[in-house]
Amino acid sequence: MKKVLGAACLLLVASHLLAQEDAPPPAAALVPVPQVEDSRWTRTLERVASGVVTIQVDQTRAFDTEWNMSSQATGFVVDAKRGLILTNRHVVTPGPVTAQAVFLNREEVTLYPVYRDPVHDFGFYRYDPSKLRFIKPTELKLHPDGAQVGREIRVIGNDAGEQLSILAGTLARLDREAPNYGLGKYNDFNTFYYQAASSTSGGSSGSPVIDVEGRVVALNAGGSSQAASSFYLPLDRVARALKLVQDGKPVPRGTLETVFKYTPYDEVRRLGLRPGTEADMRRKFQNNTGLLVVSEAQVGSAAEKILEPGDLLIKVNDALVGGFDDLAEVLDSGVGKSVKLSLERGGQPLEKVMTIEDLHAITPDRYLEFGDAVVHTLSWQQARHINSPIRGVYVANPGYVLGAAAVPRGAVITEIGGKKVDVLADFEAAISPMKDGERVTVRFFTLDDPSTAQWRVIRMDRRWFPARSCHRDDAQGVWPCDTWPEDGVAEPPKPASTSFAKAADPIVNRLAPSMVLVNFDMPYSVSGITERSYYGTGVIVDAQRGLVVVDRNTVPVVIGDVRLTFAGTIEVPGRVEYVHPLHNLAMISYDPALIGTTPVHSAVFKATDVQPGEQVWAVGVRPDGKVQSRTATVASVDPVSFPLSRTFQFRDTNLETIKLINGPDDYDGVLANKQGEIVATWASFAYEAGREIAQENRGIPAEQILEMLPLVRSGATLHSLEAELIPVPLAGARKLGLTDRWVQRLEQHSPDRRQALSVSRLVGGSPASKLLRSGDLILDIDGVIVNRFREVERAVQKPQVRITVLRDKVEQVIEVPTVALGGRDLDRILVWAGAVLQEPHRALAAQRGITPDGVFVGYFSYGSPATRYQLWAGRRIVEVDGQPTPDLDHFIKAVAGRPDKSSVRLRTMSWNGSIDVITLKLDNRYWPAYELKRTPAGWTRTSLE
């Protein structure tokens, strides 16, 4: 009933405050309540509601316990003159953040973080009061002493995404232990929490908990996902911090690097509490039911040598301590001073003297950003989770550089290049001078396994992403950054030679010198591809020029870093030369000089029609570099038929592939005959099965590889009809009106494949999309009968073809221009407002029939303007402020020179043509714009700011 009452009060408040709006407030059934009580709450809610704001938060970088993300929460004005808003620490966030407040009348102001407590879940934002033109928000007063068990309260805030929601409850506990949100997450400690059954949910963090007089008695902080319980932070330390902030003074916070737990008397007696001490405590603190007990003494701290878990805290500086506030008052006011602790351990009194440390000094306020990774000094928050000293560098986001080396989020780096890392400065001194492509060894442990040291070799990136050092400046409310100077490219590896191990299998001995392990890492998600790291088998097709063929599930796009490993011994860099626009093939290259006298040779391919029942050898390279072989039997040769991609990634069509009985699915490579000739590649096909990525190995006939070679060697042009075809049995073709004459001609043309080819789908924007129709039967091309995919592909290798089709039982001859396709359709990307933008790729037009115009959104970074304003991946930007943007050049011209925090209006289009207009506010500080272009010398990055 109380929740319904809250909703009723909300309607009354909204109708009063928003009466100037034309639309009437929605009607709702009111729950009968005592009239006096109802009117008091209504007047109170009317008075305070204008001071409660929705906070839109963009955590621009992963930091400490938080991921970069966009979210919403609640705050409330505690100083209208200075523009101070109180909310939770996890809303102000420990790291870089941009935020804005939306008031009840929908006015919007920019927020700047002023203070976030190192431990407790509260913090302050500030705004410029002069920016508010139409509302004078109520200043809510803090009333720390107003919390009492049984007191009826209201929680006012942005609950579950609502602009303003009011939830009712009754305070049930004032001494609850701080909620535990799990390993690696932010957890408050050394404080009580209040508890009530108010069922707050997402978005209500930072809401004021008020009494009937409109005074704030607590700060909403969290809730249980399994019950209606909500948890509120007491305001004693909040009120102290607010006064200091209002006075323009720093907020000192002291610590003993110790976690205390409030423990009931019945338990502390078992820990050795002396009767006389209990009597003194009960006499002094009559409402208390326990006392503070040492729970954790931070490893590596001075407290570890002085205090022990189970120690009972009796006095501080000779004064009895009744709870967390008494202790905090002494610590916060005595940073750098000595404090005397009177303890009892196992029934024995002890006195210890300790130095009060600065809590801010063990709270990270700097981070390094390089290769899309974010690292900073380990915090006490994380160190206490793993019982580790507060030293080392914490990986908040592994990004591209650390992620490619399998260094996970939550790793704590303790060494780099053999040098010890205690603080961020140690790590920065070692890594900032590194050149692009230079390697170094890091040693680390993880939160899940802190006792095991691991090591990885990371490869520095200075090409794909900017690198800089950033620090917190609460006076400005931002994190200013210093960009690292560009320091060139690492020297190429020195030439080295190796040999191939002899195996018992002669097929392996013949093919091993033609096979390499290929690793590929993508710095950005583009063309609908979300995975970043790939590996697979490469086949050397031209040893003299260093050309290697792979499948597109090993090298899916042209942007990325390629590495080739020979005989499991030598690793050399590579380059993407060609990505086949139609089929699951790509060509990469390496410098043959880098492998010295290693006896590699070009593989021998044999173009032949593989038949079901034939025996073949599936040979490939495992991730450890070992060549593996398995005999298998050809099951069938069938057309591929994969579902359409939800993310518009590449999908192969018009291709007959080889299926094997008991073929290997744990490695890719080649299929060879008993003479060791390659009759097909054993390729990995990636496709989307629902919302998951699935993989399936199939054989691609050798003739496909042989016909791709001239496209790479001489730059020959590949022409495409731009039509997806499916085979139709002749019996089915008859039903469509195919004449006996054509049936006989097709039978004679291919006695073993009694089929015709039908148009299934047309590529958007192509000439064929205007001339052909789905359902057309293709009978011949330039007078030559075709009924196989390869025949069509070969027949259209000219600018225009004359096609005979059967449409609606009538033969027609249609002149159709073909389309020239390249193997480097992605030669530039733009990173803007946190979104990765590119020219629309062919898969979009091929699978959805979309004309490839506009600017395609390939990816968006969490915590960026793209996320906040819902510039989702898969959409195309077709206008900026009314200016058409048919390509990247027009887009760059339209957005160039926009100042920070300025707004742009984007007209976007989805795959099915639906239009959406969004406004987006730029954040040039944390999300600067830059462009990446492919040049003859490689990819280069250019700032657009």
Side-chain angles (χ1 to χ4, degrees), residues 85-236:
I85 290 176
L86 171 63
T87 186
N88 290 131
R89 175 192 187 270
H90 68 265
V91 176
V92 178
T93 81
V97 63
T98 60
Q100 52 194 15
V102 181
F103 285 79
L104 186 64
N105 69 338
R106 304 302 293 181
E107 279 195 80
E108 183 180 279
V109 293
T110 300
L111 298 181
Y112 299 93
V114 175
Y115 175 78
R116 83 283 305 130
D117 195 80
V119 171
H120 301 320
D121 200 5
F122 76 92
F124 298 100
Y125 279 112
R126 64 174 170 84
Y127 66 92
D128 184 352
S130 67
K131 300 296 184 182
L132 292 177
R133 300 171 55 197
F134 304 106
I135 190 172
K136 292 184 178 180
T138 300
E139 179 180 298
L140 277 68
K141 300 300 182 182
L142 304 185
H143 186 45
D145 297 330
Q148 298 176 9
V149 172
R151 170 150 290 175
E152 191 171 357
I153 50 91
R154 298 289 186 271
V155 181
I156 311 176
N158 168 34
D159 186 75
E162 299 292 338
Q163 168 64 17
L164 184 66
S165 179
I166 302 172
L167 301 174
T170 303
L171 290 179
R173 289 186 61 184
L174 304 183
D175 59 353
R176 189 196 190 280
E177 186 177 356
N180 186 340
Y181 299 115
L183 178 68
K185 301 181 182 298
Y186 165 72
N187 290 293
D188 204 342
F189 54 92
N190 285 348
T191 182
F192 289 124
Y193 266 67
Y194 303 157
Q195 179 176 323
S198 59
S199 300
T200 55
S201 57
S204 64
S205 293
S207 297
V209 180
I210 66 169
D211 63 12
V212 73
E213 302 297 331
R215 301 171 299 187
V216 182
V217 298
L219 178 66
N220 185 53
S224 172
S225 61
Q226 300 176 347
S229 297
S230 299
F231 310 132
Y232 312 139
L233 179 71
L235 297 179
D236 301 83

Side-chain angles (χ1 to χ4, degrees), residues 114-115 240-241 243-245 247-253 332 360:
V114 175
Y115 175 78
R240 168 186 176 269
K243 181 65 169 62
L244 291 168
V245 170
D247 293 343
K249 297 178 181 179
V251 182
R253 292 285 276 113
D332 291 346
H360 294 297

Side-chain angles (χ1 to χ4, degrees), residues 249-320:
K249 297 178 181 179
V251 182
R253 292 285 276 113
T255 182
L256 300 177
E257 292 192 41
T258 302
V259 177
F260 292 90
K261 182 178 179 181
Y262 189 77
T263 306
Y265 280 122
D266 56 339
E267 185 173 343
V268 294
R269 287 192 205 101
R270 294 192 291 272
L271 290 173
L273 178 65
R274 297 185 301 169
T277 303
E278 180 177 353
D280 292 341
M281 297 293 286
R282 287 184 178 273
R283 188 179 306 110
K284 174 73 173 178
F285 307 106
Q286 297 181 10
N287 295 326
N288 286 11
T289 58
L291 49 82
L292 298 183
V293 178
V294 174
S295 175
E296 306 169 19
Q298 178 58 40
V299 176
S301 69
E304 183 187 24
K305 301 177 181 179
I306 298 174
L307 302 178
E308 294 182 4
D311 285 352
L312 312 182
L313 181 62
I314 309 302
K315 296 180 180 179
V316 174
N317 289 339
D318 297 323
L320 292 172

Side-chain angles (χ1 to χ4, degrees), residues 248-565:
K249 297 178 181 179
V251 182
R253 292 285 276 113
T255 182
L256 300 177
E257 292 192 41
T258 302
V259 177
F260 292 90
K261 182 178 179 181
Y262 189 77
T263 306
Y265 280 122
D266 56 339
E267 185 173 343
V268 294
R269 287 192 205 101
R270 294 192 291 272
L271 290 173
L273 178 65
R274 297 185 301 169
T277 303
E278 180 177 353
D280 292 341
M281 297 293 286
R282 287 184 178 273
R283 188 179 306 110
K284 174 73 173 178
F285 307 106
Q286 297 181 10
N287 295 326
N288 286 11
T289 58
L291 49 82
L292 298 183
V293 178
V294 174
S295 175
E296 306 169 19
Q298 178 58 40
V299 176
S301 69
E304 183 187 24
K305 301 177 181 179
I306 298 174
L307 302 178
E308 294 182 4
D311 285 352
L312 312 182
L313 181 62
I314 309 302
K315 296 180 180 179
V316 174
N317 289 339
D318 297 323
L320 292 172
V321 175
F324 293 111
D325 287 336
D326 296 339
L327 176 61
E329 189 62 39
V330 174
L331 298 182
D332 291 346
S333 60
V335 176
K337 300 178 182 178
S338 296
V339 61
K340 184 172 73 172
L341 304 181
S342 299
L343 309 163
E344 290 187 8
R345 178 182 300 166
Q348 298 299 315
L350 298 172
E351 287 194 353
K352 301 290 183 179
V353 176
M354 300 181 65
T355 300
I356 301 174
E357 300 177 36
D358 184 358
L359 183 54
H360 294 297
I362 56 174
T363 303
D365 60 359
R366 292 183 64 241
Y367 70 88
L368 305 181
E369 183 176 30
F370 61 96
D372 200 32
V374 175
V375 300
H376 56 74
T377 301
L378 182 67
S379 68
W380 187 18
Q381 275 284 342
Q382 297 289 28
R384 62 179 289 263
H385 286 162
I386 54 177
N387 198 34
S388 168
I390 309 174
R391 58 173 177 260
V393 167
Y394 178 79
V395 178
N397 183 1
Y400 179 63
V401 166
L402 299 179
V407 179
R409 168 176 163 83
V412 179
I413 298 174
T414 57
E415 286 184 18
I416 179 169
K419 297 180 180 179
K420 189 177 181 182
V421 172
D422 284 335
V423 295
L424 191 61
D426 299 337
F427 187 82
E428 183 176 14
I431 203 163
S432 61
M434 292 180 62
K435 298 176 170 31
D436 182 65
E438 195 171 345
R439 298 173 185 269
V440 69
T441 301
V442 296
R443 188 173 294 274
F444 64 92
F445 62 85
T446 65
L447 297 183
D448 295 330
D449 189 10
S451 60
T452 302
Q454 305 180 46
W455 62 271
R456 297 287 188 274
V457 177
I458 66 171
R459 187 180 70 255
M460 186 59 176
D461 165 65
R462 298 300 304 276
R463 172 177 47 170
W464 302 116
F465 298 92
R468 52 191 184 174
S469 169
C470 307
H471 68 279
R472 190 179 72 217
D473 184 345
D474 282 335
Q476 298 185 57
V478 297
W479 291 62
C481 298
D482 298 318
T483 301
W484 294 354
E486 298 293 337
D487 212 9
V489 179
E491 294 294 325
K494 295 180 179 180
S497 301
T498 187
S499 59
F500 295 92
K502 293 297 182 182
D505 189 340
I507 300 292
V508 170
N509 290 331
R510 177 165 183 176
L511 293 177
S514 302
M515 307 188 80
V516 297
L517 176 67
V518 177
N519 289 90
F520 181 76
D521 294 305
M522 287 173 54
Y524 297 92
S525 292
V526 295
S527 301
I529 301 167
T530 56
E531 300 296 324
R532 297 286 191 91
S533 297
Y534 299 82
Y535 70 89
T537 300
V539 183
I540 300 172
V541 294
D542 189 332
Q544 185 175 358
R545 295 181 57 175
L547 294 180
V548 176
V549 67
V550 295
D551 59 48
R552 287 190 60 166
N553 200 25
T554 300
V555 177
V557 291
V558 296
I559 183 171
D561 290 310
V562 183
R563 303 183 311 283
L564 301 91
T565 304

